[in-house]
Amino acid sequence: NLPIAATTCTTLRHWAHCVSRRTYKLDAETLPADKAAHTIRFLTFSGCMLETASIKAATDELLAVLLPPPSPPVIAPGRLRALKLAHSPAITDTGVACLRRNAPLVEDVDLSHCIRLTDAAASELAHLPSLRVLSLASCSRLTDSAASSLARCEVLKHLTLRGCRALTDATVRALCVNDALPLLEHLDLSSCVLLTDESLRHLASARRPGLSSLGVGGCSLLSDRGLIPLLEHAGERLASLTIYGTLATDEAVATCAQSCSMLTEMNCTRCPWVGDAGAISLVIRCAELHTLYLGACPVSDLVLQTIGSFAPQISVLGLLGCKLSERGLLALASCSGMRELHVDAGSGLTDRAAVALASGCPQLEELYANCCPALGDEGLVSLARHCRRLRSLDVRGCARVSSIGVRDA
């Protein structure tokens, strides 16, 4: 049975169970049922494997126990504010219907990777009047009809449909027609592979204010024809943009730098037409930029030298697959706030560069340096000794790193 030690706590606000690789048997007797539980506002069961006679009924049955009709409920109607059920493959439309009936004021719902959900679930969710944050990432059975339902969520601010591969331009049109989703600020459509530039034109023509966060990474049909008008429309409101794996070019990135000067996060990994010109434009014009992923883009040391001179505020930098040299990485040593750096075999990380980074970037917390042939014990030990906040150091495949260096580090 699942131990619930918090059932006697009169101030209980957050009851979470998220344990990987373990299986628990759940029923009404193992759930908190006293008055303390009536104050639960946040409930997380993400990734739980629920074992009963019928796997399909398990999660729906769980929700029915947690969210029954009044008299008295385990969780009082209207009290629940957030429900996290990500990676729960057993939940179905029936469970979502239960949520809609018995927790009508829920504001934050995460149903990502709940692969049994269909458009009927979206229809139920559309009836939640207080829904502000919704994730349906990788719910592969959703179609464009789901978007027509979700467009009725008047206070929705965050919508994640990442990896819903059946969605087409019709989805985006439904989310933008007339006054749909007037408060929407964050939209993630990454890996919705059927989207075309028409979707971006719908977003650009929407009546609502520009988005503050947009993810269209992995949408390989998107190009400058859709991106440039959208970025011009978004303006300074846009703070985060993900366009990895698209056909974006330097022109689109330069437009972003010019129109979206308050940008803080940019991911253009695997954009083969984004090179020095676009990246340098971003670095110089976007003074608030702190996260930049350029993996597998044809950029040179000049970009890193520009970052060192004009953007020392950069704290997260991704350079996997980039062809760089030691000179470029030495320039990054002036980024004193660097917390996370991703490099690999072609990035030019040597012992000398590692020593410089260790000295100049004392806030470094994560360094991913797989297969860097010129990195050895000297660099490893220097990083470990100077970067006191370092919590993740990946040097797999670095042939010059020995067991002695690992021991001394």
Side-chain angles (χ1 to χ4, degrees):
N1 286 342
L2 173 67
I4 303 296
T7 53
T8 58
C9 177
T10 57
T11 60
L12 181 63
R13 287 293 182 274
H14 187 163
W15 178 44
H17 171 56
C18 186
V19 183
S20 62
R21 302 187 185 91
R22 298 188 66 180
T23 301
Y24 294 94
K25 187 175 294 184
L26 292 171
D27 54 41
E29 295 180 358
T30 63
L31 300 171
D34 63 0
K35 295 181 179 180
H38 291 199
T39 61
I40 292 176
R41 293 179 182 272
F42 308 94
L43 184 62
T44 301
F45 273 84
S46 297
C48 293
M49 299 300 295
L50 304 176
E51 183 185 75
T52 63
S54 170
I55 293 179
K56 179 178 179 180
T59 301
D60 293 341
E61 180 185 28
L62 171 63
L63 288 180
V65 171
L66 289 169
L67 304 171
S71 69
V74 172
I75 301 176
R79 292 292 185 93
L80 187 66
R81 291 294 181 263
L83 179 63
K84 307 293 186 181
L85 285 166
H87 296 276
S88 298
I91 193 170
T92 70
D93 298 339
T94 301
V96 177
C98 176
L99 171 66
R100 175 233 171 160
R101 289 192 306 270
N102 300 332
L105 298 183
V106 66
E107 299 175 0
D108 184 348
V109 177
D110 185 354
L111 296 168
S112 55
H113 299 272
C114 293
I115 57 177
R116 294 173 183 261
L117 298 185
T118 71
D119 294 340
S123 180
E124 296 287 353
L125 292 167
H127 289 87
L128 296 172
S130 301
L131 189 62
R132 299 176 185 275
V133 180
L134 174 63
S135 177
L136 293 169
S138 297
C139 293
S140 55
R141 296 189 182 185
L142 297 185
T143 71
D144 294 329
S145 296
S148 299
S149 299
L150 297 176
R152 302 196 301 269
C153 299
E154 296 183 354
V155 299
L156 193 64
K157 291 186 176 183
H158 298 244
L159 177 60
T160 299
L161 296 171
R162 181 180 63 252
C164 296
R165 300 172 71 87
L167 303 184
T168 71
D169 295 331
T171 285
V172 183
R173 181 170 64 248
L175 297 178
C176 297
V177 68
N178 298 325
D179 297 319
L181 305 181
L183 302 182
L184 189 66
E185 298 176 356
H186 304 264
L187 178 62
D188 190 353
L189 297 168
S190 297
S191 298
C192 294
V193 295
L194 300 180
L195 300 187
T196 70
D197 288 330
E198 182 182 350
S199 290
L200 301 185
R201 287 192 284 271
H202 289 313
L203 289 173
S205 62
R207 297 180 184 179
R208 73 175 76 91
L211 297 168
S212 61
S213 175
L214 175 64
V216 289
C219 301
S220 59
L221 301 178
L222 302 185
S223 70
D224 287 6
R225 293 181 60 187
L227 284 168
I228 290 176
L230 173 62
L231 294 170
E232 291 174 341
H233 169 75
E236 293 187 352
R237 185 176 176 84
L238 189 66
S240 177
L241 179 63
T242 299
I243 56 173
Y244 65 81
T246 66
L247 299 175
T249 71
D250 281 335
E251 185 179 358
V253 175
T255 299
C256 180
Q258 182 174 1
S259 302
C260 312
S261 58
M262 301 306 292
L263 197 72
T264 61
E265 301 178 6
M266 176 64 152
N267 187 339
C268 47
T269 300
R270 300 197 312 276
C271 290
W273 308 110
V274 174
D276 285 358
I280 289 174
S281 182
L282 271 179
V283 170
I284 293 178
R285 290 178 176 269
C286 300
E288 303 299 320
L289 190 68
H290 61 69
T291 299
L292 179 60
Y293 289 97
L294 295 168
C297 291
V299 296
S300 71
D301 291 337
L302 185 58
V303 172
L304 304 191
Q305 292 169 342
T306 305
I307 291 175
S309 300
F310 294 92
Q313 80 282 354
I314 293 285
S315 60
V316 179
L317 184 59
L319 300 169
L320 295 176
C322 295
K323 304 302 181 183
L324 305 166
S325 72
E326 179 186 71
R327 181 174 59 180
L329 291 182
L330 288 172
L332 292 180
S334 61
C335 298
S336 58
M338 185 72 71
R339 294 185 296 101
E340 186 175 329
L341 180 62
H342 299 248
V343 295
D344 60 9
S347 302
L349 184 61
T350 64
D351 278 339
R352 183 184 175 204
V355 170
L357 289 171
S359 177
C361 307
Q363 307 301 315
L364 196 64
E365 298 176 3
E366 300 180 29
L367 176 62
Y368 299 92
N370 289 348
C371 302
C372 292
L375 177 64
D377 293 344
E378 179 185 359
L380 180 66
V381 172
S382 182
L383 286 165
R385 290 182 178 177
H386 290 88
C387 301
R388 308 306 298 177
R389 297 188 179 184
L390 195 64
R391 54 185 173 84
S392 180
L393 179 59
D394 188 345
V395 291
R396 287 175 294 176
C398 297
R400 294 184 59 236
V401 172
S402 69
S403 58
I404 296 176
V406 172
R407 180 200 63 194
D408 293 344

